[in-house]
Amino acid sequence: MEQVLSKISRNLYVIPGGFFVTKLFRKFYGSSKKEGDWRNFTFRGVAMKVDIAKQMGNAIYWRGAHDWAPIFVLEKYLKTGDTFIDVGANQGEYSLWAARKVGTNGKVVSFEPMPQLFDQLTANIRLNESFQKTISPVKLGLSDKKGEVTLYASEDSNEGTNTIYNTDKFSIELGKIQLDTLDEQIEELKINKVNFLKIDVEGAELQVLKGALNTLKKHLPILLLEINKDACIAGGYLPEDILELLKPFNYTFSKIGLRGSLNKVDTLPDFCNILATPQQL
């Protein structure tokens, strides 16, 4: 019964308000206390293996995506043959959807430094035979300089919130990760174009952008950024500092709303997904 309902539930993404039906299904069938409670599924041509005991994995299993709004944006702006850079790829959700969109003539480069999530990322890539030549996973974190830092987790079940900043909430050490800059990686991997850059790194977004200034100047990619004010403050800056850094590139900033709707903003909300588009688009 769970498999049947989850399949129905995933397909409700096409219906405005379908989220509430999915929420009802998850209430009765979607909870799991056993870590490592894995499920495999295929949806809209994308196969994934997720742990439904984890917050993000559970949401992906029952909804098809943990948050549909950014996926709608990817599907609108990515084109066949594009190059998509996924910084903070986690278990590969955005990378897989991007690979589906850019096709075999496109390229997806997925940066994920945490060993456990990187293993899950590569496992999910293997489940999608047609994407394997498109997606290149890189076991590395990105910042404004090379180095090594400790990664921290909280006690909750959200596998998407690990951070390099030690706070009262995020105090569980996960081990060391290696860092490099996007500019250096673009050169090392011989990437000759960047059309779309997604960054979700729990407060280190500003540092990643500082390490990508040459890439921004040369390629002026569309940017998808997760903004979390508390995470930014833990990183020693405010969300507005991101706008200031990007000001010379003349981006237009829009808050991503329901079903991928875009609303232009001049200041950044405390928590949201932001799409930054070059003004010529």
Side-chain angles (χ1 to χ4, degrees):
M1 179 61 73
E2 177 204 281
Q3 292 182 353
V4 173
L5 288 178
S6 68
K7 184 175 182 179
I8 294 171
S9 181
R10 285 190 290 273
N11 282 282
L12 291 175
Y13 84 97
V14 299
I15 304 171
F19 165 79
F20 297 103
V21 180
T22 297
K23 189 175 180 180
L24 180 64
F25 286 172
R26 290 174 69 188
K27 179 179 180 181
F28 289 102
Y29 292 95
S31 61
S32 175
K33 301 296 184 182
K34 181 181 66 175
E35 185 172 347
D37 198 354
W38 298 97
R39 298 290 188 279
N40 285 56
F41 70 92
T42 300
F43 178 57
R44 294 182 67 203
V46 173
M48 288 195 74
K49 176 182 179 180
V50 296
D51 182 358
I52 65 169
K54 298 290 188 178
Q55 185 174 324
M56 186 177 291
N58 188 283
I60 293 171
Y61 180 67
W62 285 95
R63 299 178 60 195
H66 89 275
D67 184 355
W68 269 109
I71 302 297
F72 283 129
V73 170
L74 289 188
E75 294 193 327
K76 178 180 179 180
Y77 283 92
L78 277 175
K79 303 183 295 298
T80 300
D82 277 353
T83 296
F84 177 81
I85 308 294
D86 190 354
V87 183
N90 202 272
Q91 54 204 281
E93 178 186 12
Y94 285 90
S95 291
L96 294 170
W97 285 110
R100 176 181 179 272
K101 185 68 177 182
V102 304
T104 54
N105 291 325
K107 187 173 184 61
V108 175
V109 183
S110 310
F111 292 94
E112 174 52 52
M114 181 182 172
Q116 183 179 356
L117 287 174
F118 184 81
D119 289 346
Q120 192 175 350
L121 165 67
T122 55
N124 279 324
I125 294 171
R126 287 194 298 270
L127 289 175
N128 295 269
E129 185 175 353
S130 62
F131 298 165
Q132 289 180 22
K133 292 183 179 179
T134 302
I135 306 177
S136 299
V138 182
K139 191 176 181 180
L140 195 64
L142 296 183
S143 188
D144 56 349
K145 58 186 177 182
K146 290 179 178 287
E148 182 182 76
V149 295
T150 301
L151 196 64
Y152 297 93
S154 65
E155 292 184 353
D156 64 25
S157 61
N158 190 342
E159 67 275 43
T161 59
N162 300 327
T163 177
I164 62 173
Y165 303 114
N166 185 1
T167 64
D168 290 341
K169 181 178 180 181
F170 294 93
S171 58
I172 301 172
E173 291 193 16
L174 296 175
K176 301 286 187 180
I177 61 169
Q178 300 299 313
L179 299 177
D180 199 359
T181 70
L182 181 59
D183 287 342
E184 290 288 340
Q185 284 295 302
I186 293 295
E187 291 293 325
E188 185 174 322
L189 298 172
K190 296 180 171 57
I191 298 170
N192 56 24
K193 67 174 181 177
V194 180
N195 303 100
F196 201 119
L197 172 60
K198 168 256 179 182
I199 307 173
D200 182 357
V201 286
E202 301 304 315
E205 285 76 12
L206 182 65
Q207 287 80 0
V208 172
L209 289 168
K210 284 182 176 179
L213 292 178
N214 290 338
T215 300
L216 297 179
K217 182 178 181 180
K218 182 177 181 180
H219 302 285
L220 205 63
I222 298 171
L223 306 175
L224 173 59
L225 309 170
E226 184 184 81
I227 301 297
N228 181 334
K229 185 175 181 179
D230 289 342
C232 291
I233 291 172
Y237 66 95
L238 294 174
E240 289 73 22
D241 294 328
I242 293 176
L243 297 184
E244 189 65 27
L245 181 75
L246 294 174
K247 185 181 293 184
F249 301 100
N250 295 315
Y251 278 103
T252 296
F253 299 92
S254 300
K255 178 183 177 182
I256 301 174
L258 291 174
R259 305 187 68 78
S261 62
L262 297 175
N263 298 288
K264 290 184 179 179
V265 293
D266 296 315
T267 59
L268 297 181
D270 288 354
F271 186 86
C272 64
N273 286 299
I274 290 290
L275 189 75
T277 52
Q279 290 192 358
Q280 63 263 35
L281 288 184

